[in-house]
Amino acid sequence: MNDEEQQPEHGPLAGFTVGVTAARRADELGALLQRRGASVLHAPALRIVPLADDSELLAATKEIIDEVPDVVVATTAIGFRGWVEAADGWGLGEQLLGRLRGVRLLARGPKVKGAIRAAGLTEEWSPSSESLAEVLDRLLEEGVDGDRIAVQLHGEPLPGFVESLRAAGAEVLQVPVYRWMPPEDLGPLDRLLDAAVTRGLDAVTFTSAPAAASLLARAADRGLLDELLPVLAHDVLAACVGPVTALPLQAHGVETVQPERFRLGPLVQLLCQELPARARSLPVAGHQVEIRGHAVLVDGGLKPVPPAGMALLRALSRRPGWVVSRADLLRVLPGAGRDEHAVETAMARLRTALGAPKLIQTVVKRGYRLALDPAADAKYADA
């Protein structure tokens, strides 16, 4: 049996902690991440106003029934289905569908197209790009002066889209199929923010622009925004499902990563590439050591490490091969106080967790160092 066969199996996200801010489909996203080995911290940044309780949707539905628009733009499958279901609940379902059969119905993408057809309707057109910008371009090219256009919103206003249509002469009716509100319980979101600013997360995922905006707003309310932004810029990866979702973060100077296809699966696959690539890998005492968020890979084998041990290991890895004093290590040790014996205790536990005591050398009366392989010394000498 070779070495690869002897190594325990683990997912590409093993040893990483990922924050999930989604309210909708959070269980699905969490399961995808956990299946690939991640630890997940779920903190919904929003809640969705139930459709049947939304008086604005009822008013817009009645307006469409009373005065049929020329064009209806459907932007999300869940929103379109929810609209029809809510209308059914109000006893207006058949009337709404009857009106929609007589209008030009545009679908933003294939999922929306499927929802339209499931309702017994047929869309006139749908872009292959799934881009609302392409829908807007088509409408403006055809000319909308004097047209009445109903736009199904997808959780937040679409000011650029709506304003462009109005500037071109259209009358626009916005249909707020579901609305985002702050979560009723802010505890989980506060815990996620605390984990982020203390670098207890490796990544945080966003599946809607309102969720990103809500997280930033809550950080500002708590006086944490100035701490959070540099962390998101350098230490905690901000992963967004698409470019629209990323806008609130980018407005604050936070660079994000986004998959080519705006779906949960590709988002998770992107994390599977990005997070291991950000982990530090070093040749130490004849072993290959990869330092992840809350675990270490030693020759490919996953070694969970307590937070205190990870703090020590990161401090040693910043200058691999160099001696780090007990006093310096004490400063990075969470809650250690002033007793340097706490460093010795945490170091003993770290060595046990790594399963290879020789990875970290004790330098008498000076401190500790990673036992960097001699061939790597020159590479890291000036680190």
Side-chain angles (χ1 to χ4, degrees), residues 55-65 83 173-176:
S55 58
E56 292 181 40
L57 175 59
L58 175 58
T61 302
K62 287 180 176 178
E63 189 173 344
I64 285 173
I65 291 171
W83 184 15
L173 170 64
Q174 300 183 67
V175 182

Side-chain angles (χ1 to χ4, degrees), residues 42-56:
H42 179 220
L46 302 162
R47 61 187 168 93
I48 300 174
V49 174
L51 297 172
D53 296 340
D54 199 326
S55 58
E56 292 181 40

Side-chain angles (χ1 to χ4, degrees), residues 234-246:
H234 302 292
D235 302 302
V236 177
L237 182 66
C240 298
V241 77
V244 174
T245 297

Side-chain angles (χ1 to χ4, degrees), residues 62-314:
K62 287 180 176 178
E63 189 173 344
I64 285 173
I65 291 171
D66 293 340
E67 191 177 348
V68 183
D70 301 293
V71 179
V72 173
V73 179
T75 61
T76 62
I78 185 174
F80 190 82
R81 284 195 301 267
W83 184 15
V84 173
E85 289 168 6
D88 279 338
W90 296 320
L92 300 174
E94 284 305 317
Q95 288 177 272
L96 176 63
L97 291 175
R99 298 295 187 269
L100 294 180
R101 286 190 182 96
V103 306
R104 297 176 57 207
L105 192 51
L106 305 185
R108 186 180 64 113
K111 285 190 174 182
V112 196
K113 187 191 302 185
I116 288 170
R117 293 183 180 181
L121 304 171
T122 304
E123 79 289 344
E124 177 185 283
W125 176 81
S126 177
S128 58
S129 65
E130 303 180 44
S131 167
L132 204 54
E134 192 172 340
V135 176
L136 177 62
D137 289 343
R138 182 182 178 95
L139 286 169
L140 294 178
E141 285 171 10
E142 293 175 348
V144 296
D145 190 17
D147 285 350
R148 192 163 186 267
I149 302 175
V151 181
Q152 172 240 310
L153 306 182
H154 52 86
E156 71 261 29
L158 302 169
F161 187 88
V162 171
E163 287 168 1
S164 296
L165 292 175
R166 285 177 174 158
E171 177 191 350
V172 181
L173 170 64
Q174 300 183 67
V175 182
V177 178
Y178 49 86
R179 289 186 297 147
W180 302 112
M181 301 288 285
E184 290 180 338
D185 179 7
L186 290 168
L189 187 59
D190 285 344
R191 287 191 287 275
L192 185 143
L193 282 169
D194 291 340
V197 297
T198 57
R199 296 163 178 79
L201 294 178
D202 299 290
V204 59
T205 60
F206 300 94
T207 56
S208 73
S214 178
L215 180 97
L216 295 172
R218 182 58 182 165
D221 288 345
R222 294 184 57 201
L224 292 175
L225 189 59
D226 288 343
E227 285 184 71
L228 178 66
L229 293 176
V231 168
L232 291 177
H234 302 292
D235 302 302
V236 177
L237 182 66
C240 298
V241 77
V244 174
T245 297
L247 289 176
L249 293 160
Q250 291 174 347
H252 283 81
V254 175
E255 292 299 318
T256 65
V257 296
Q258 305 152 31
E260 291 184 6
R261 293 179 61 247
F262 310 147
R263 296 283 186 271
L264 296 187
L267 177 64
V268 172
Q269 287 303 116
L270 181 63
L271 287 172
C272 290
Q273 298 164 13
E274 292 283 341
L275 288 181
R278 290 160 66 100
R280 184 131 204 217
S281 186
L282 296 166
V284 182
H287 301 277
Q288 195 64 31
V289 174
E290 182 179 311
I291 302 168
R292 296 190 167 191
H294 59 262
V296 179
L297 295 184
V298 179
D299 297 329
L302 187 69
K303 309 290 184 181
V305 175
M310 289 303 304
L312 295 180
L313 189 57
R314 286 196 189 93

